[in-house]
Each structure stands twice: as C-alpha cells, then as structure tokens.
C-alpha cells in the first residue's frame, strides 16, 4: 500500500517561512510527478506546485516567487519551501503522487496568523 506522509506544518506569523516534507513509500518514486495541493476551509482543493520526474516545476500564480518545490529521489521525499507567507496561505496542505492515477497524503495544517 502506497504511503505519503507529510510533515512540517504549523503556526507561523505573516512574512515567515515553513518547509513541508512528504515521505513516500511503496512506489517507484523517481518515476512519479509529485505535487503539493492545499484546501482552505470552505474552499476546493487547489494546486500549489508540482514537479515532474524530469524536475520540471509548475506553480500556482498565487505562490510564484515565494514557494519552491524540490525532490530528493534518493530519499523518496518531496519538499515545499514556503517563504513570505500570507494569511491567505492558511490551509491543509496535501502531498500527491501521480497524475491520472494518484495517491494522497493525509495532509498537514499550515496556519499563517499574527
């Protein structure tokens, strides 16, 4: 059974930084497009960033220039470095492996508040 386990969420003040990590197991990690998505209360889940097996990245306009997605195929992990955080970044952040056939983590809460 595929497992994706997110970590690194928490409470941070506006302008601060957080780094999320997702550890994957039971998949051939290097072959998968990996992504981070988020869901705020009362809103639909939305794409934050993705990274392909060839390290091509894609970002939502709302996070471009502030967030960076990266992967470490040796450790089967994908990370999301989040800088200059804003209150509107508050959400549960989910890790996703794959595209048409996809696996999801359980999510980690990020709260940006003073």
């Amino acid at each position: 059974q595929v497992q994706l386990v997110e970590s690194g969420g928490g409470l941070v003040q506006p302008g601060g930084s957080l780094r999320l990590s997702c550890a994957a197991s039971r998949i051939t990690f290097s072959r998968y497009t990996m992504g981070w998505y988020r869901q705020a209360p009362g809103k639909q889940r939305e794409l934050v960033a993705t990274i392909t097996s060839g390290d091509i990245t894609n970002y939502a306009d709302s996070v471009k220039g502030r967030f960076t997605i990266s992967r470490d195929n040796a450790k089967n992990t994908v990370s999301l470095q989040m800088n200059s955080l804003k209150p509107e970044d508050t959400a549960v952040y989910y890790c996703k492996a794959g595209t048409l056939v996809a696996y999801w983590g359980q999510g980690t809460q990020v709260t940006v508040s003073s």
Side-chain angles (χ1 to χ4, degrees), residues 11-81:
L11 173 64
V12 63
Q13 292 186 343
S17 299
L18 279 176
R19 185 176 180 86
L20 305 183
S21 292
C22 171
S25 59
R26 300 187 182 92
I27 59 171
T28 307
F29 181 82
S30 61
R31 296 181 182 177
Y32 278 74
T33 290
M34 300 298 297
W36 286 97
Y37 291 71
R38 67 187 181 188
Q39 187 166 16
K43 294 188 177 181
Q44 290 188 330
R45 192 173 297 188
E46 63 176 5
L47 178 147
V48 176
T50 60
I51 183 167
T52 70
S53 58
D55 288 339
I56 296 172
T57 58
N58 179 54
Y59 296 92
D61 288 343
S62 59
V63 307
K64 281 181 181 176
R66 300 189 298 122
F67 291 10
T68 302
I69 189 171
S70 61
R71 66 190 298 158
D72 185 337
N73 290 336
K75 295 182 179 179
N76 285 8
T77 58
V78 59
S79 299
L80 185 70
Q81 178 66 42

Side-chain angles (χ1 to χ4, degrees), residues 81-101:
Q81 178 66 42
M82 305 186 294
N83 299 327
S84 303
L85 282 161
K86 304 175 181 179
E88 51 263 44
D89 295 318
T90 295
V92 178
Y93 283 70
Y94 297 91
C95 176
K96 177 185 176 184
T99 51
L100 295 179
V101 177

